[in-house]
Amino acid sequence: MQEEAASSDLSCMIRFYSEKPCQVEQLDRILLSGVYNVRKGKTQLHKWAERSVTLCGTCLIVSSVKDSHAGKMHILPLVGGKVEEMKRRQYTLAFTSAGAQAQTYHVSFETLAECQRWHRQASTIVSMRFSMVDLSCYSLEEVPEHLFYSQDITYLNLRHNFMRTSGAGSLDSLCRFSQLKSLNLSHNRLGEFPVSLCDISTLTELNISCNGLHYLPSQIGKLLNLQSFCLDGNFLTSLPEEMGNLQQLSCLGLSFNNFCELPAICEKLVTLDKLALAGNSIETLDLAVLNRMGHIKSVDLRLNNLKRASADTLEGNKSLAYMDLRDNQMTDLDLSSLVSLEQLHCERNKLRELTLSGFSLRALYANSNCLTAVNIYPVPGLLTCLELSHNQLQCVPDWACEAKKLEVLDVSYNLLLELPSRILRSLSLRKLMVGHNHLQSLPPLQEHIPLEVLDLQHNLLSKLPETLFVKALNLRYLNASANSLESLPSTCPGEESLSMLQLLYLTNNNLTDQCIPVLVGHPNLRILHLANNNLQTFPASKLSKLEHLEELNLSGNKLKTIPTTVANCKLLHTLIAHSNEISIFPEILHLPRIQFVDLSCNELTEILIPEALPGALQELDLSGNTNLVLEHKTLDIFSHISTLKIDAKPSLPADSALTSVFWSHGVAEMAGQRNKLCVSSLALGSFAEGVEAVYGMFDGDKNEELPRLLQCTMADVLLEEVQQSDTMFMSNTFLVSHRKLGMAGQKLGSSAVLCYIRNEVADPASNFSLTVANVGTCQAVLCRSGKALPLSKVFSLEQCSEEARRVKEQKAIITEDNKVNGVTCCTRMLGCTYLHPWILPKPHVYSIPLTVQDELLLLGNKALWEHLSYAEAVSAVRHLHDPLAAAKKLCTLAQSYGCQDNVGAMVVCLNISEDNCTCEMHGLTLTGPGGFSSTTTKPATPSCSSGIASEFSSELSASEVSSEVGSTASDEHSAVGLDGSLLPRQERRCSLHPVPPSSIFQRQPSSATFSSNQSDNGLDSDDEQPVEGVMTNGSKVEVEVDIHCCKGKGLELEHPAAEYSSSTPGPEDDSGLVLIIRRQNSVNSNTVQRGVKEKCDLQKSLSTCCLYGKKLSNGSIVPLEESLNLIEVATEAPKKKTGYFAAPSQMEPEDQFVVPHDLEEEVKEQMKQHQEDRGDQELKEEHAASLPEEFDTAL
């Protein structure tokens, strides 16, 4: 293109059709540019002229100064040309193009430095050659014709295209490249091997993997110079004999084919040293065949069906140095005949015993087996790395203690009871991992050791060796979390400590304030985790000395404050101190590098902040501080933070008060060591306008776009699918969400788990059902009777053998890091469409009825469950009542246990029990036209955990109820209720036990209308302020209420909005009454308003005494007089100065009553008359209150 654009006519057309050209400074390929004196040609016939000179890409562009990109441009290709300095003129370079008709331009610079810079850049371009061409993923069917004019191409990449085998520009034409050495034709759906490729005798590297090949032609023997031949992902079962002619072949890739044994032709390939046969169907490892292939040094047999290894002779193999046997089914393995073996991978088998030769062994990886014994003879003197984690070892092998060059030892997740003292005395050991064992003590240290990393988490240690920090001066990382430590060993005596410790994790121990002074002996500490201990104070003098501290985690303790000396930690960027008793906001907003602050679940009341926040601050979490009130000025300052988490004012839809009785949730997400958060959560405690809930978690691994999209759209998709299907709604939700990802889901993917709680209409005998669906590595766990019950299936190559078999059969390439095509370890995800059919969006769906024994529902991403077991997660948060604090604790534990990735956790507290039932007892009910009803059955005593005790429905008009009575208990309606006949009424069901589909029950909203003839602003005669939540309409006060009488004990109410006030019932008062008032007719609000009245307040009114005379029936409609009393309580509530009605209504400035000047005297007279009338009214009410209550209704 650069050569064609040298034509003036063509360059003019390019500028015309590309519209307005961009400026020189905006071109990405521009290396250097400026205005200099330029002369064209080698002779001096041309004059020097001022021109604009640009070094762009591989060309030198010369144009006029005024119209540099609009006029004529001279383009000089520099590739293959030359650049040299002129001797006759100072600071001048001569640029010459390649070819027979080469052109030359002389450019004169002003300074020597500028001349040298241009000479250096141009020399690099001149030395370039067009030898490598990458045309992968272009959907090509043929090679572009102009490409054949370049004879310098040695590397051609045509991967992921649709190349034709015949025709112009097809694969048959590739032989025209006379110097082609490397050719990549993978993923082209060829079906057959192109015979024409065998005529390219210059080929040294050929990749034709994933093309559906079933055989190779005999002409393959013509490629005599071939050194690397990749045939992965095909259907080959054998190789032709002619391949024996490839005497220069050194690397042969046959992975993910259909071979059942090692190809015999490999014996003739004497230069072959690397053989890859991963993902085939080999069942027996024939060591005798490997012995005959004495030239092979590396064998890859991953993901086969290997069950045993056989050796017919005792002859040793002296060439094989590397062997990979991961992900097979071997139970015993004896490779002692491989005397030259240097590195062995045998992870994820079923090995019980392993025997090797130690002559040349340098590294052994045998994780995730069932090993009880590992035998290596002789002692491996060259061994540097030994990984035996996730096995059943009860002791460290003796030969490991004698390995003189051992640097890394990993024996975590075993059954070790003690650690040999010789291991800690090793003079070569740098990294020791012994976590998740049963160690009760460590041997004492007598000599200095070079240990740098020590992991002791999840053991039974009560103390560490006293000389640990004295003898291990090189120790940089120590993790002793999840033990029983009560103290820490002292450091080196003296003023200046020699400790090099930088990362210290001591979470989940029994440490007290006495351990804090020891930390001063580690002045180089960068990361300190002391979460979930028994700390009550952190001395200010000690914290001030940790000047290099970057991350501090003090969550889950009993701290009441963070010392002010935290301001001395100038390098601090992360402070996590949630779940404490902190009431004073720490002075951390003056730190220049602070980025993340988590002070949630504390007792903060106010925040003193500077006028300007630090520029690095990215996230501030203040949620869970119930007493915290932020002023508008503070919120304005915090608005510049990218993530601010505070408790929002409750804005609950109708019936959400009911759902809060059954479940509540808390969510925590932490970015860890990464710069961005790729985890999102979905939490809807009230879903689909009913007693239902939806919870979900999405993990995008390295992308944040897909989790955000799924968080915003998946609930809507679920709602649509539930209405259309009762059986496949969850699977359809995932498939539709996968489709709606659109272009974003082409190359990006996300794991997902979705939990849906709903009423099981088909089974009236059950309460709620939980349906869980997931793809990828996000999981959900149910805590039932204190036991962890996994509800999800992990779709990864390592943990799901069925999925690994499916992917292997579909000829996907599984790389050595166990990722599909090197992209992801998941086999089912939302997104990653380009990896279909290996990656599918089909979820695993599981449904289970919820019972009384169900306590918690835990959701987490991959990082959480990699560091916490199901049982540990359940036991860690089961005793916590705050779901937010529980979710925070799970994330904190994962980070302290070694998680550096994004981690997300969600905890849903369940309160599903038969005591929450409000179903009506069978029997006759008294029904009247007014909507009142009563039951003749004996009221049952509701339990203390009952979510809803009773509910009433009434319809009253303003003309039927007089304001002089002060309540809605009129005799007129009572008489009407008596006139109604006794009719059998259909049994009423609660949300736990819905009515079967054959019948429909619709709850009628409770409404009561109060009239006042004495006030024009909606005030009762006894009220000084308007009632909150009461709509004013002229001279009438219309109140529409839906009142649920709830037991005060055992009922946890969410905090109301700031404009509302509620008094809480007594903790042990069984007769506490909760008034849940929902405005039905309000145009501006559909929020739920709650008022809580204590027994002592309600009993002041004689009309409410009968409420506590007998227990309310569990699930029945309240008897008539109780319904009347409830309405009367609602009308009298404004007179009480407690509870919901204690909060005075705040009048807007524009709503205030303004009296004109000429009417002041008249208004004063009316107000005086009004006060006299109100006094008479109060006397009448006191006289009526002294009389005993009488009802004409026979109940």
Side-chain angles (χ1 to χ4, degrees):
M1 292 182 64
Q2 293 170 348
E3 294 178 0
E4 295 293 335
S7 173
S8 59
D9 296 336
L10 184 59
S11 63
C12 183
M13 292 179 61
I14 293 176
R15 288 193 297 271
F16 176 80
Y17 284 106
S18 61
E19 299 178 353
K20 183 179 178 180
C22 59
Q23 299 296 326
V24 174
E25 293 79 6
Q26 297 176 355
L27 298 177
D28 295 336
R29 294 171 56 84
I30 288 180
L31 302 177
L32 296 171
S33 63
V35 178
Y36 308 103
N37 290 325
V38 179
R39 191 189 72 184
K40 181 181 179 182
K42 296 182 179 181
T43 64
Q44 299 183 1
L45 298 177
H46 297 84
K47 297 181 179 180
W48 292 89
E50 191 178 56
R51 294 288 184 265
S52 175
V53 184
T54 303
L55 188 61
C56 178
T58 60
C59 295
L60 184 72
I61 302 176
V62 181
S63 60
S64 64
V65 178
K66 294 183 179 180
D67 303 321
S68 59
H69 285 276
K72 184 177 180 179
M73 292 189 301
H74 299 273
I75 301 176
L76 184 70
L78 295 179
V79 176
K82 61 181 179 180
V83 57
E84 54 187 357
E85 297 182 8
M86 289 186 64
K87 299 181 180 179
R88 297 182 181 180
R89 189 178 179 92
Q90 191 178 20
Y91 310 147
T92 302
L93 296 177
F95 298 88
T96 305
S97 63
Q101 300 180 353
Q103 294 182 343
T104 302
Y105 282 88
H106 297 82
V107 181
S108 178
F109 302 94
E110 297 179 356
T111 62
L112 175 63
E114 199 170 18
C115 180
Q116 291 177 346
R117 184 166 64 252
W118 277 76
H119 187 244
R120 195 163 47 246
Q121 288 285 355
S123 300
T124 304
I125 297 175
V126 166
S127 61
M128 293 175 59
R129 292 292 183 271
F130 287 120
S131 60
M132 302 177 64
V133 177
D134 188 354
L135 295 175
S136 60
C137 304
Y138 276 99
S139 300
L140 298 177
E141 294 184 355
E142 59 185 30
V143 179
E145 181 65 24
H146 64 83
L147 203 61
F148 292 103
Y149 294 107
S150 177
Q151 296 299 318
D152 296 333
I153 295 179
T154 59
Y155 173 85
L156 180 60
N157 187 359
L158 295 172
R159 179 178 60 91
H160 270 294
N161 283 292
F162 303 93
M163 298 301 300
R164 294 185 286 107
T165 58
S166 60
S170 63
L171 298 182
D172 293 343
S173 304
L174 295 182
C175 58
R176 296 169 59 182
F177 296 106
S178 58
Q179 300 183 23
L180 189 62
K181 294 183 178 180
S182 177
L183 178 61
N184 190 341
L185 287 172
S186 61
H187 297 89
N188 270 277
R189 303 181 182 181
L190 298 178
E192 294 182 359
F193 189 92
V195 181
S196 59
L197 298 181
C198 301
D199 298 330
I200 310 177
S201 58
T202 57
L203 278 179
T204 59
E205 181 180 351
L206 177 59
N207 187 343
I208 198 166
S209 59
C210 298
N211 276 290
L213 306 181
H214 289 79
Y215 67 95
L216 296 180
S218 58
Q219 292 87 341
I220 196 69
K222 296 181 181 180
L223 300 175
L224 300 179
N225 294 319
L226 199 62
Q227 299 177 8
S228 176
F229 196 10
C230 184
L231 292 163
D232 299 341
N234 288 290
F235 298 92
L236 301 176
T237 57
S238 61
L239 299 177
E241 291 292 332
E242 288 77 7
M243 279 193 62
N245 299 331
L246 309 181
Q247 293 300 310
Q248 295 188 26
L249 191 64
S250 60
C251 179
L252 179 59
L254 300 173
S255 298
F256 302 99
N257 281 278
N258 297 333
F259 288 94
C260 297
E261 58 183 4
L262 299 178
I265 194 65
C266 295
E267 298 180 18
K268 299 180 181 181
L269 303 174
V270 294
T271 58
L272 185 66
D273 59 3
K274 184 177 181 180
L275 177 61
L277 281 166
N280 281 276
S281 303
I282 304 175
E283 296 185 357
T284 302
L285 176 58
D286 196 340
L287 298 178
V289 176
L290 285 178
N291 292 339
R292 293 195 295 267
M293 302 177 185
H295 44 275
I296 296 181
K297 298 180 180 180
S298 174
V299 175
D300 184 0
L301 294 171
R302 297 177 295 115
L303 294 162
N304 276 275
N305 297 325
L306 292 175
K307 297 179 180 178
R308 64 187 185 92
S310 63
D312 298 338
T313 62
L314 298 178
E315 181 181 358
N317 188 313
K318 299 181 181 181
S319 62
L320 191 62
Y322 176 88
M323 178 173 284
D324 195 341
L325 301 174
R326 283 177 286 183
D327 299 287
N328 281 285
Q329 303 177 18
M330 309 187 72
T331 57
D332 296 288
L333 183 61
D334 187 352
L335 299 178
S336 56
S337 60
L338 305 181
V339 294
S340 299
L341 188 63
E342 297 180 3
Q343 184 173 338
L344 174 64
H345 282 274
C346 56
E347 300 100 307
R348 293 180 296 278
N349 278 272
K350 301 177 182 179
L351 295 175
R352 295 188 298 267
E353 187 172 356
L354 177 63
T355 304
L356 300 174
S357 172
F359 285 106
S360 305
L361 191 63
R362 297 178 182 271
L364 172 60
Y365 305 93
N367 304 327
S368 303
N369 282 283
C370 304
L371 289 171
T372 57
V374 180
N375 304 314
I376 298 181
Y377 182 82
V379 175
L382 302 177
L383 185 66
T384 59
C385 181
L386 177 60
E387 294 188 4
L388 300 172
S389 64
H390 293 87
N391 281 285
Q392 299 178 9
L393 298 174
Q394 296 184 359
C395 61
V396 179
D398 292 337
W399 51 265
C401 303
E402 300 176 4
K404 301 300 182 182
K405 295 186 177 182
L406 186 63
E407 298 180 0
V408 178
L409 175 60
D410 187 357
V411 288
S412 56
Y413 291 94
N414 277 281
L415 305 175
L416 300 181
L417 298 176
E418 60 180 0
L419 193 65
S421 59
R422 290 181 296 173
I423 287 293
L424 289 180
R425 291 201 303 263
S426 174
L427 299 179
S428 61
L429 194 62
R430 299 290 190 273
K431 182 178 181 180
L432 178 60
M433 313 288 287
V434 291
H436 295 272
N437 282 283
H438 305 295
L439 301 177
Q440 297 183 359
S441 62
L442 295 178
L445 296 177
Q446 305 295 337
E447 301 176 355
H448 290 280
I449 57 176
L451 195 64
E452 298 178 2
V453 177
L454 179 59
D455 192 338
L456 301 170
Q457 61 175 299
H458 288 87
N459 279 284
L460 304 175
L461 300 174
S462 58
K463 63 178 181 178
L464 298 176
E466 291 295 334
T467 57
L468 176 62
F469 296 136
V470 177
K471 301 299 182 181
L473 295 178
N474 294 332
L475 192 64
R476 302 177 185 272
Y477 174 95
L478 173 61
N479 194 333
S481 301
N483 280 281
S484 302
L485 299 179
E486 299 180 356
S487 61
L488 296 177
S490 58
T491 56
C492 298
E495 296 182 358
E496 295 185 1
S497 175
L498 301 177
S499 174
M500 300 295 294
L501 191 63
Q502 297 182 9
L503 290 82
L504 180 59
Y505 297 90
L506 298 171
T507 296
N508 204 9
N509 279 283
N510 299 323
L511 297 175
T512 60
D513 301 345
Q514 299 178 357
C515 72
I516 303 300
V518 180
L519 300 177
V520 181
H522 306 286
N524 297 311
L525 271 180
R526 295 190 300 108
I527 299 179
L528 175 60
H529 281 218
L530 290 171
N532 299 105
N533 281 281
N534 297 323
L535 302 180
Q536 295 183 356
T537 59
F538 201 114
S541 59
K542 309 303 180 183
L543 184 59
S544 62
K545 297 183 179 180
L546 301 178
E547 298 180 353
H548 293 85
L549 205 59
E550 299 178 7
E551 179 177 329
L552 178 62
N553 193 329
L554 299 173
S555 59
N557 285 282
K558 301 177 182 179
L559 298 175
K560 298 185 182 303
T561 182
I562 300 294
T564 57
T565 53
V566 71
N568 295 337
C569 304
K570 302 297 183 181
L571 303 179
L572 190 69
H573 60 74
T574 300
L575 174 63
I576 305 176
H578 64 81
S579 305
N580 278 281
E581 300 173 3
I582 300 175
S583 58
I584 302 176
F585 191 82
E587 299 181 4
I588 55 176
L589 297 182
H590 299 279
L591 299 177
R593 297 189 180 183
I594 193 69
Q595 298 179 9
F596 177 80
V597 179
D598 187 352
L599 293 171
S600 59
C601 302
N602 278 284
E603 299 177 2
L604 295 175
T605 56
E606 60 180 356
I607 299 179
L608 299 178
I609 60 175
E611 295 182 358
L613 296 178
L617 186 60
Q618 299 178 3
E619 181 173 343
L620 177 61
D621 193 346
L622 301 174
S623 57
N625 290 276
T626 56
N627 299 324
L628 180 62
V629 178
L630 297 180
E631 300 179 353
H632 290 289
K633 180 181 178 181
T634 305
L635 293 175
D636 292 340
I637 298 177
F638 284 159
S639 62
H640 302 287
I641 306 176
S642 58
T643 304
L644 174 62
K645 298 180 181 179
I646 58 177
D647 289 337
K649 298 178 181 179
S651 179
L652 305 176
D655 294 338
S656 59
L658 305 181
T659 61
S660 64
V661 176
F662 301 128
W663 46 72
S664 58
H665 66 270
V667 181
E669 299 168 351
M670 297 183 180
Q673 302 294 329
R674 293 172 56 178
N675 294 328
K676 61 180 181 179
L677 182 64
C678 300
V679 179
S680 296
S681 302
L682 172 65
L684 297 176
S686 179
F687 180 69
E689 299 181 357
V691 188
E692 298 180 353
V694 173
Y695 301 101
M697 183 160 289
F698 316 103
D699 187 358
D701 191 15
K702 296 181 180 180
N703 78 87
E704 57 183 348
E705 293 84 0
L706 258 61
R708 300 291 185 270
L709 288 175
L710 295 172
Q711 179 189 34
C712 297
T713 60
M714 209 160 188
D716 296 334
V717 175
L718 175 61
L719 183 59
E720 295 177 1
E721 296 301 327
V722 168
Q723 296 173 354
Q724 296 178 5
S725 174
D726 291 337
T727 56
M728 300 296 293
F729 65 91
M730 195 62 92
S731 296
N732 294 340
T733 298
F734 274 69
L735 297 178
V736 173
S737 299
H738 172 77
R739 176 175 55 84
K740 286 191 174 184
L741 291 176
M743 294 300 297
Q746 292 292 324
K747 291 189 176 182
L748 302 178
S750 175
S751 299
V753 59
L754 193 65
C755 302
Y756 177 37
I757 305 176
R758 65 169 180 170
N759 288 312
E760 193 61 51
V761 180
D763 185 9
S766 64
N767 296 343
F768 291 97
S769 67
L770 171 63
T771 303
V772 180
N774 80 293
V775 292
T777 53
C778 292
Q779 302 179 59
V781 176
L782 182 66
C783 172
R784 173 169 290 180
S785 300
K787 305 294 183 180
L789 179 62
L791 304 178
S792 307
K793 184 176 182 180
V794 182
F795 290 103
S796 66
L797 294 173
E798 295 183 358
Q799 302 186 38
C800 186
S801 58
E802 297 85 358
E803 287 293 297
R805 189 181 306 110
R806 177 185 65 82
V807 172
K808 186 177 71 172
E809 292 175 353
Q810 293 174 346
K811 303 305 175 185
I813 303 300
I814 301 177
T815 53
E816 293 185 357
D817 55 353
N818 254 6
K819 292 185 177 181
V820 180
N821 279 24
V823 177
T824 175
C825 64
C826 300
T827 58
R828 297 195 187 185
M829 300 177 67
L830 297 180
C832 282
T833 309
Y834 78 106
L835 291 177
H836 180 83
W838 309 312
I839 306 297
L840 301 176
K842 182 180 180 181
H844 168 266
V845 182
Y846 182 76
S847 296
I848 183 174
L850 295 179
T851 64
V852 180
Q853 291 77 23
D854 297 328
E855 305 172 13
L856 299 172
L857 177 63
L858 309 181
L859 281 73
N861 68 330
K862 176 183 177 181
L864 179 71
W865 300 118
E866 278 185 345
H867 295 85
L868 268 78
S869 64
Y870 302 141
E872 182 180 5
V874 167
S875 61
V877 300
R878 186 187 177 194
H879 64 285
L880 298 178
H881 300 291
D882 185 1
L884 176 60
K888 292 281 186 181
K889 182 177 181 180
L890 291 179
C891 291
T892 297
L893 292 178
Q895 288 185 334
S896 297
Y897 295 163
C899 176
Q900 298 182 355
D901 206 345
N902 292 168
V903 58
M906 182 185 298
V907 177
V908 182
C909 296
L910 301 175
N911 185 23
I912 309 298
S913 65
E914 290 295 335
D915 294 338
N916 296 120
C917 174
T918 59
C919 294
E920 186 178 15
M921 302 294 292
H922 290 283
L924 299 178
T925 58
L926 181 64
T927 306
F932 291 100
S933 60
S934 61
T935 178
T936 58
T937 57
K938 183 179 180 180
T941 303
S943 65
C944 60
S945 61
S946 176
I948 305 171
S950 64
E951 182 178 5
F952 79 95
S953 177
S954 64
E955 298 290 342
L956 298 176
S957 64
S959 61
E960 296 169 335
V961 182
S962 174
S963 62
E964 297 179 357
V965 179
S967 71
T968 60
S970 65
D971 295 341
E972 177 182 354
H973 282 274
S974 301
V976 172
L978 285 174
D979 293 339
S981 59
L982 288 175
L983 299 176
R985 185 168 58 87
Q986 182 179 351
E987 179 185 3
R988 179 166 183 170
R989 295 298 189 102
C990 69
S991 57
L992 283 176
H993 301 100
V995 179
S998 58
S999 61
I1000 301 177
F1001 169 76
Q1002 296 182 351
R1003 183 179 59 186
Q1004 297 294 333
S1006 304
S1007 64
T1009 304
F1010 305 95
S1011 174
S1012 174
N1013 298 325
Q1014 301 176 355
S1015 176
D1016 294 334
N1017 60 354
L1019 296 179
D1020 264 350
S1021 57
D1022 298 331
D1023 294 339
E1024 298 178 357
Q1025 295 289 342
V1027 180
E1028 185 70 68
V1030 176
M1031 297 173 294
T1032 62
N1033 184 12
S1035 61
K1036 294 183 178 180
V1037 180
E1038 297 181 352
V1039 182
E1040 300 240 349
V1041 296
D1042 187 4
I1043 302 179
H1044 300 273
C1045 302
C1046 305
K1047 297 294 294 182
K1049 182 178 179 180
L1051 178 62
E1052 297 181 2
L1053 290 177
E1054 299 178 4
H1055 296 284
E1059 62 265 26
Y1060 303 136
S1061 174
S1062 63
S1063 62
T1064 57
E1068 299 297 333
D1069 190 356
D1070 290 343
S1071 57
L1073 182 65
V1074 178
L1075 299 181
I1076 304 176
I1077 304 176
R1078 185 177 68 249
R1079 290 184 289 182
Q1080 301 284 353
N1081 287 349
S1082 177
V1083 178
N1084 300 323
S1085 175
N1086 291 324
T1087 59
V1088 173
Q1089 308 171 15
R1090 305 180 185 182
V1092 182
K1093 288 292 185 178
E1094 295 187 4
K1095 177 179 178 180
C1096 59
D1097 294 328
L1098 289 178
Q1099 284 182 338
K1100 295 178 181 179
S1101 174
L1102 295 177
S1103 60
T1104 60
C1105 294
C1106 60
L1107 286 175
Y1108 299 95
K1110 54 184 177 181
K1111 297 293 184 178
L1112 298 178
S1113 59
N1114 186 12
S1116 64
I1117 299 299
V1118 181
L1120 183 57
E1121 74 269 21
E1122 298 186 9
S1123 299
L1124 303 180
N1125 291 333
L1126 283 175
I1127 301 177
E1128 187 173 9
V1129 170
T1131 61
E1132 293 180 355
K1135 302 176 184 179
K1136 317 274 183 196
K1137 297 305 178 183
T1138 59
Y1140 162 75
F1141 295 102
S1145 175
Q1146 302 297 328
M1147 186 176 296
E1148 296 293 335
E1150 58 270 16
D1151 295 336
Q1152 294 179 359
F1153 182 55
V1154 179
V1155 180
H1157 181 72
D1158 55 343
L1159 299 178
E1160 288 183 358
E1161 296 297 331
E1162 183 178 354
V1163 170
K1164 290 180 180 180
E1165 292 294 333
Q1166 291 182 359
M1167 292 179 62
K1168 182 179 179 180
Q1169 182 65 28
H1170 176 71
Q1171 292 177 357
E1172 294 177 357
D1173 294 341
R1174 188 174 61 177
D1176 297 339
Q1177 180 68 19
E1178 290 178 355
L1179 293 176
K1180 294 180 180 180
E1181 290 182 357
E1182 291 177 0
H1183 177 69
S1186 61
L1187 298 177
E1189 283 190 310
E1190 296 181 1
F1191 294 98
D1192 297 334
T1193 306
L1195 299 176

